Amino acid sequence: MTTIAVVSAGLSEPSSTRLLADRLAGAAGAALAGESAGPVEVRNVDLRPLAHEITDAMLTRFSAPALAAATATVVEADAVVFVTPVFTAGMSGLAKSFLDVLDKDALTDMPVLLGATGGTARHSLALEHGIRPVFAYLRAAVVPTAVFAATDDWGSDDAGVLDARIRRGGADLAWAVRASRRQPQQADALPAVTDFASLLGGLQHR
C-alpha cells in the first residue's frame, strides 16, 4: 500500500487550492497504478479547520488531537502533495505555520509534489523562489515539476496546458516514490517538550 498525504492550505470553501491538490493526487495515484505499484491510498489533510490548533501548537508546542492526527498522516505517508495559495510572493501563513510545528526532521527524504494557486500567472515564480526553498531546508525530496494554477487556468481554452502539467507532476511524484530512500517514521511529529517545573529545577541546581 502506497499512501499519499494531500495537504491543502486553501482558506475558502470551495477552494481552488483543494481542487488542484485533488487533481495532483489523482495524477500521482494514476501514475503509480500504471506502474503496478500496488494499491494507492490518498489521505487528505485540510489545514483550514486546523488553523486554531496550529496557532496553539506554535505558542505552546503542544499538539491537540486533530492536529496530532494530521501531522501523523503526513509524517507516516510515502509521499506528500502540498498545495498552498500564494500571498505576498510566498505560501500562506497557515501553510508555513503547519510546517513550523513539524519537527525539523519530519520530512527528511519525503517525496513531495508542490502546487500553488493565485489570481494571476505573475505569482507563479513564488513556487520556485518562496516555497521550494522551505522544503529544501527541511531536506524533503521535492520533485522537479511544480504546478501553479492561476484563476484563468480553470476552464479556459488553455486548460489542457494545466492538465499536462498536472500529469507530469504526478508522474514525477510516482518516480520519486519508487526511488525513495525514506525510512519509516513515527507519528510523533512534534519535538519532545520539557515541562516547566523540570526547567526550573535545572536552574535551581546550578
Side-chain angles (χ1 to χ4, degrees):
M1 173 75 72
T2 301
T3 60
I4 302 174
V6 182
V7 180
S8 171
L11 301 181
S12 60
E13 291 184 349
S15 167
S16 60
T17 301
R18 173 61 190 271
L19 176 60
L20 178 59
D22 288 343
R23 291 184 63 182
L24 289 171
L32 285 165
E35 297 166 359
S36 301
V40 178
E41 181 179 1
V42 173
R43 300 174 181 173
N44 292 301
V45 177
D46 288 315
L47 299 187
R48 185 176 184 272
L50 300 172
H52 292 291
E53 291 192 11
I54 291 171
T55 301
D56 290 343
M58 291 187 69
L59 296 173
T60 65
R61 305 306 297 171
F62 172 77
S63 182
L67 178 57
T71 54
T73 296
V74 173
V75 171
E76 295 173 353
D78 297 301
V80 171
V81 172
F82 191 95
V83 185
T84 175
V86 172
F87 296 130
T88 321
M91 72 176 73
S92 71
L94 180 59
K96 181 59 166 61
S97 296
F98 178 72
L99 294 175
D100 286 343
V101 301
L102 292 175
D103 181 74
K104 63 181 178 63
D105 298 320
L107 296 181
T108 298
D109 294 329
M110 175 71 79
V112 176
L113 170 58
L114 296 177
T117 57
T120 72
R122 289 176 299 189
H123 298 297
S124 60
L125 286 178
L127 268 168
E128 302 303 329
H129 294 281
I131 300 174
R132 189 183 292 271
V134 176
F135 284 85
Y137 173 80
L138 295 171
R139 299 193 300 279
V142 184
V143 303
T145 301
V147 181
F148 180 86
T151 301
D152 291 343
D153 288 324
W154 302 105
S156 70
D157 293 338
D158 294 328
V161 176
L162 176 60
D163 290 341
R165 294 204 304 270
I166 289 172
R167 288 194 300 271
R168 179 169 179 173
D172 280 1
L173 189 63
W175 179 89
V177 170
R178 294 198 315 272
S180 178
R181 59 182 182 182
R182 171 84 169 170
Q183 298 298 315
Q185 300 293 303
Q186 300 297 316
D188 184 10
L190 288 175
V193 178
T194 304
D195 64 87
F196 194 63
S198 297
L199 289 174
L200 289 177
L203 290 173
Q204 291 170 355
H205 287 92
R206 289 184 178 180

